[in-house]
Amino acid sequence: MSTERKATLTITGEAPVQFPILSPTHGNDCVDIRALGGNTDRFAYDSGFESTASCKSRITFIDGAKGELLYRGYPIEQLTEHCNFLEVAYLLKNGELPTAEQNARFAATITKHTSVHNQMVSFYHGFRRDAHSMPVMVGLVGALSAFHREAADFSDVEQRSLTIDRIIAKMPTLAAMAFNYTRGHPPVSPRADLDYAANFVHMMFSNPAEKFVLNPVLMRAFDRLLILHADHAQDASTSTVRMAGSSGANPFACISAAIACLSGPEHGGASEACLAMLEKVGDVTRVAEMISRSRIESDRSKVTGFGLYVYKNFDPRAKLMRKLCTDVLTELGLQNDPLFALAIELDRIALEDPYFVEKKLYPNIDFYSGILQKALGLPSSMFACIVAVARTAGWMAQWEEMRADPEYKIARPRQLYTGVARRNVPALSQR
């Protein structure tokens, strides 16, 4: 990865210092400044880590200029077309797509571990019935470590692998139980005869008094929804997993921390905000007014779901999500749904508006995700929770990669202190 090229730091009055330049498989070269502090007694300042590579990773690559997303080298478009979620989870974890035999064995392992300890049910009763699903999930996933204390031993590769499988398997069960708890419904046990996505939907929506019928079109759409959210490189929640994991925290605690990060409105709460925006606009006749107001500095936040920092071009997931919306709404006979019609019109006008074109504010995945999930019967309070279930596959792959990295060490960002200079404490009478 190192090259013979060097970057030279020149500070007036001091000898130049050289740093290696690292070249990736895809993307931008990186200046290796790990020796900066030792060689210069200085640190780099990078608020938000916008120009800092915090790790080396082989898992996910994003080309924001091209609008490209790759999982282990495979384009997201091909994965959603040819794979199911568990195949993608296997890919993220192991680096290669599974063979038929590996896929069957992995699916059987996941199915085996979908159930949670019966005492976990008691945890739900400690939350209000109207609690948002995300803080509930933060507590529940963190509590899993009390039931799987062996997960704290990272020295055994097989034990780490089993822990990853357990977390991926149990996340839909916990999320479905949280969903049913807020509705006053009893928890629904997982079924061994259903695949991952179908079992998740079954645990959320089945009624013991009625026969549960799975619609293949809706199940495939839900499965693709999970694939689209499975990983997104070093975003805030993934970086949280690595930050927490670097301390040696157990993986359940790391995922709990990531869910807490994901719950923020700037991260996993974005699709919920997009749906709320569309519902507030209410009618296509108000779209032009809304676009016009968005040019006013104080009103720009009113148009959510457009633009994403990492993509300077179209979010590839947004194109796929729009197609899923069309398929699901057509299957349900809701192709004339007012919110979807509003979204399409907002999409069209925004892409023709000079301000949006200049700023490259294209619709992102959250813009259509809320409409899709609402059509599937999910309340907005569950949107981020669905992302958390899907993203666990990526989070755990990132955690394992971090643990296996020979350069792994506890994360310790530096700071640029701007507070009061050193001073002495005055006597009480002089304060």
Side-chain angles (χ1 to χ4, degrees), residues 138-357:
V138 169
L140 293 170
V141 175
L144 279 176
S145 59
F147 294 88
H148 299 285
R149 288 175 292 178
E150 70 282 354
D153 180 10
F154 308 139
S155 60
D156 190 318
V157 175
E158 291 188 8
Q159 179 59 53
R160 292 206 307 267
S161 179
L162 176 59
T163 297
I164 293 172
D165 294 345
R166 277 178 170 157
I167 296 178
I168 293 173
K170 296 180 190 304
M171 282 292 286
T173 308
L174 294 175
M177 289 171 71
F179 176 51
N180 283 316
Y181 178 75
T182 59
R183 300 190 299 160
H185 293 188
V188 177
S189 298
R191 281 172 46 180
D193 62 322
L194 297 178
D195 65 29
Y196 192 86
N199 195 32
F200 192 6
V201 173
H202 154 72
M203 289 188 290
M204 285 192 290
F205 295 112
S206 65
N207 184 334
E210 300 174 354
K211 182 178 180 181
F212 184 65
V213 179
L214 291 167
N215 182 315
V217 174
L218 303 188
M219 291 307 97
R220 182 59 178 141
F222 189 75
D223 187 85
R224 287 173 172 171
L225 174 70
L226 297 179
I227 292 174
L228 292 175
H229 286 295
D231 197 54
H232 208 237
Q234 303 308 310
D235 60 11
S237 57
T238 301
S239 296
T240 299
V241 169
R242 285 180 175 264
M243 180 74 75
S246 74
S247 73
N250 74 73
F252 297 103
C254 296
I255 298 302
S256 178
I259 296 171
C261 179
L262 185 70
S263 68
E266 298 299 319
H267 198 1
S271 59
E272 190 173 347
C274 287
L275 186 64
M277 176 199 71
L278 292 171
E279 291 174 337
K280 184 176 181 180
V281 174
D283 189 88
V284 293
T285 60
R286 299 182 59 194
V287 170
E289 174 195 353
M290 180 182 178
I291 294 292
S292 179
R293 289 179 62 190
S294 70
R295 301 187 192 97
I296 303 172
E297 185 70 32
S298 60
D299 275 355
R300 275 181 198 161
S301 62
K302 295 183 182 300
V303 182
T304 54
F306 282 81
L308 195 63
Y309 178 79
V310 71
Y311 292 108
K312 306 307 179 186
N313 205 317
F314 210 98
D315 181 347
R317 302 167 302 166
K319 296 180 180 180
L320 298 167
M321 193 66 74
R322 179 175 175 174
K323 175 65 167 57
L324 291 180
C325 275
T326 302
D327 293 344
V328 168
L329 292 173
T330 300
E331 176 67 17
L332 295 174
L334 299 173
Q335 55 267 45
N336 296 320
D337 176 77
L339 279 184
F340 188 52
L342 174 60
I344 294 294
E345 182 65 5
L346 179 56
D347 186 342
R348 184 189 68 79
I349 293 179
L351 293 181
E352 295 175 356
D353 183 83
Y355 174 79
F356 279 72
V357 172

Side-chain angles (χ1 to χ4, degrees), residues 3-10 16-21 30-33:
T3 69
E4 304 227 346
R5 292 184 302 145
K6 305 282 185 180
T8 303
L9 173 65
T10 302
V17 181
Q18 291 191 324
F19 301 95
I21 295 177
C30 293
V31 179
D32 184 354
I33 62 169

Side-chain angles (χ1 to χ4, degrees), residues 33 36 43-49 51-52 414-418:
I33 62 169
L36 177 64
F43 301 117
Y45 176 71
D46 183 19
S47 178
F49 309 109
S51 298
T52 300
R414 303 295 180 171
Q415 66 175 12
L416 178 64
Y417 176 71
T418 58

Side-chain angles (χ1 to χ4, degrees), residues 24-41:
T25 305
H26 291 298
N28 301 326
D29 288 347
C30 293
V31 179
D32 184 354
I33 62 169
R34 285 175 291 180
L36 177 64
N39 291 343
T40 70
D41 200 29

